[in-house]
Amino acid sequence: MKPSSVSTTEGDGAAGDDGKQSAKRSAVARPSRVVCVVLLATMFWGVIFLLHDSTSLQLGNAAFFSHLKMFQFGLSSDKCAGRYVYMYDLPARFNADLVGDCSGPNASTDKCKHAANGGFGPVITGGGGGELPERGVYDTDQFSLSMIFHARMKQHECLTSRPAAAAAVYIPFYAGLDVERYLGQEHNDSSASDALARSLVEWLLARPEWRVMGGRDHFMNVARGSWDFLRTPDVPGLGNSLLNYPAIRNVTVLTSEASPWHGVDFAVPFPSHFHASSDADVASWQGRMRRLERKWLWGFTGAPRPSTKQTVRSQILEQCGRSSRCGVFRSTPRYTPGRTMQLLESVEFCMQPRGDAFTRKSTFDSILAGCIPVFFHPISAYLQYIWHLPRDYRTYSVLINHGDVESKNTSIEEVLAKIPPAKVAQMREQVIRLIPSVMYRDPAAKGVTFRDAFDIAVDAVIRRVEKRRRAAAQGREYHDNVDGGNSWKYDLQEDGDKDIIGSHEFDTYF
């Protein structure tokens, strides 16, 4: 075949020349067709983007960047595609200066102590005199989460210095430390308590990043309950007006306790004391919690409230005092993490009544200890931590109506004793599986695969921002609530979970 081919080419010079010219023309024609296809495809998608986004011009380039990021994600293996976060470099008065002022509203508050180790607080060694791990344990204050978020964001694998590439924008404002200065007593000078919050709003409104979506792609962590930031502007009272400023109402606000009626605030777990730095540390701790023998059926850690006797808390202490199956640790005069964990790790069911607020840090201490939480009001957890806890609350917790307990018509022990052992084992396993998702890991940890409370919160914020972008592209505003202020934001759950709990199942509690 080879000689024949050569002979044919060489035997007819004219034919050979024509063949060479034809080959050259063919070589030129083929890339031209490719170029045409690419140009046509580019023009087609350009038209689609323009038509689709024509209704979203009021938000500038937000929708375009959203589509661009999705397009890039399809072509790239970048694990941060669509997940980049841009962090403001705020003036020091909004964060660092607040930490430097070590004075607190009362003698027990030491902000400089709590600010150590990126907000984790001082290191605790030897298990804290109780049953905590040997490493990764800190005396973490429950209101230090804004510092923890900031320290973690500085190390975030998807942090970007390019605002246009970001899926969300983080505001590292230590709002909790600011408002804390005005919680010790009711202040008549509302202008003083609102001064820094108002200054932040003015600073944000002047930023080009803000104008892209009017703050709808921004988020912050205020590290306290929303109630501390909902005072009406220019009206004397406790706290400040941060969450009542119209601009901030566009921001996704992460709190320790959200208000189901306001729609801009979403609760994230309180920080506990164990901040793991490896997958192995988490797996080892989970294994230990599975192996523990729990000598008490139920238990409670917390101080009594002498001024209010007809409460769930007073009934818990009274019923526990009469029972041989209940353990109690009265955390006064000083909270000791090690001894508290010692009790939680020896109990099947941990009581979580409301304290100064509906939510409690103890809920997450209990989960860390593999102890099944018992709630007395849905607002203590189910309407709060919708990103971090299972939608079906029955899989990991028990709900006893607070009214039945307060009226002394219900025995807590009898309710718990009726739960079959197999069901108890399933619930405890679910609680133990939740441990990584409610802890805040060491920011310096490398190579970890578990998703902690920070990861889950940031991903949820990005999903929310993307929904807002899509809604803007359709010329509408995205709302979380199903049918108004009293529907508890259930539409934020995964589609397959929407029928687990009725939209108004908890209405009787309110």
Side-chain angles (χ1 to χ4, degrees), residues 348-370:
E348 295 272 17
F349 295 95
C350 292
M351 305 301 103
Q352 302 300 337
R354 66 167 298 171
D356 298 324
F358 280 101
T359 58
R360 298 183 79 213
K361 173 180 175 292
S362 175
T363 294
F364 303 101
D365 293 339
S366 297
I367 292 175
L368 183 63

Side-chain angles (χ1 to χ4, degrees), residues 232-343:
T232 302
D234 302 321
V235 175
L238 296 174
N240 66 26
S241 307
L242 177 66
L243 299 190
N244 273 327
Y245 288 108
I248 298 300
R249 293 194 63 77
N250 284 343
V251 175
T252 299
V253 180
L254 308 182
T255 71
S256 59
E257 178 171 314
S259 160
W261 296 278
H262 288 83
V264 301
D265 46 337
F266 302 89
V268 296
F270 283 97
S272 189
H273 300 284
F274 181 28
H275 306 287
S277 58
S278 70
D279 293 343
D281 285 346
V282 175
S284 174
W285 181 257
Q286 288 175 305
R288 179 181 168 186
M289 293 306 102
R290 290 187 176 100
R291 294 188 299 270
L292 285 176
E293 292 188 10
R294 299 177 185 266
K295 62 180 180 179
W296 307 104
L297 173 65
W298 61 297
F300 173 66
T301 62
R305 296 286 194 272
S307 59
T308 51
K309 298 190 179 296
Q310 193 67 14
T311 63
V312 171
R313 182 178 291 241
S314 63
Q315 273 299 298
I316 288 172
L317 290 169
E318 182 179 323
Q319 292 188 28
C320 187
R322 298 195 304 261
S323 172
S324 61
R325 305 180 70 184
C326 179
V328 65
F329 174 63
R330 301 183 185 229
S331 53
T332 56
R334 185 181 182 277
Y335 177 77
T336 53
R339 291 185 59 197
T340 301
M341 291 297 292
Q342 211 167 24
L343 175 68

Side-chain angles (χ1 to χ4, degrees), residues 377-420:
H377 199 294
I379 204 173
S380 291
Y382 311 145
L383 308 181
Q384 297 287 339
Y385 309 103
I386 56 178
W387 295 333
H388 294 80
L389 299 179
R391 175 75 182 279
D392 189 351
Y393 63 88
R394 304 170 188 88
T395 63
Y396 74 96
S397 69
V398 176
L399 176 63
I400 301 176
N401 191 298
H402 66 107
D404 295 337
V405 177
E406 289 171 354
S407 61
K408 303 183 181 182
N409 292 327
T410 295
S411 166
I412 297 171
E413 188 166 309
E414 288 180 5
V415 172
L416 300 177
K418 290 178 181 177
I419 302 176

Side-chain angles (χ1 to χ4, degrees), residues 115-191:
N117 297 302
F120 284 168
V123 174
I124 294 177
T125 58
E131 299 298 329
L132 283 162
E134 291 298 317
R135 63 179 183 177
V137 180
Y138 300 81
D139 186 5
T140 304
D141 182 70
Q142 62 178 330
F143 297 128
S144 64
L145 201 48
S146 57
M147 291 182 282
I148 293 173
F149 253 72
H150 194 189
R152 180 68 185 281
M153 191 62 74
K154 291 176 181 178
Q155 304 280 346
H156 187 35
E157 61 180 357
C158 294
L159 188 66
T160 179
S161 59
R162 297 171 52 240
V169 179
Y170 171 59
I171 308 169
F173 175 41
Y174 295 174
L177 296 186
D178 172 38
V179 79
E180 187 179 85
R181 298 177 295 174
Y182 306 100
L183 294 176
Q185 59 181 341
E186 190 165 328
H187 285 256
N188 292 322
D189 188 0
S190 58
S191 61

Side-chain angles (χ1 to χ4, degrees), residues 26-77:
S26 176
V28 172
R30 274 194 292 270
S32 296
R33 285 195 294 270
V34 172
V35 171
C36 288
V37 170
V38 171
L39 288 173
L40 286 172
T42 302
M43 292 172 63
F44 172 78
W45 284 110
V47 171
I48 293 296
F49 286 155
L50 287 173
L51 289 175
H52 183 65
D53 294 335
S54 61
T55 59
S56 64
L57 295 178
Q58 69 274 22
L59 295 183
N61 296 324
F64 171 76
F65 282 125
S66 174
H67 290 304
L68 182 61
K69 275 179 269 192
M70 288 190 290
F71 179 70
Q72 290 173 335
F73 182 74
L75 298 178
S76 171
S77 60

Side-chain angles (χ1 to χ4, degrees), residues 420-436:
K423 174 65 174 174
V424 174
Q426 291 173 355
M427 295 168 73
R428 185 186 307 114
E429 178 59 25
Q430 177 70 307
V431 168
I432 292 172
R433 289 177 181 175
L434 286 174
I435 289 174

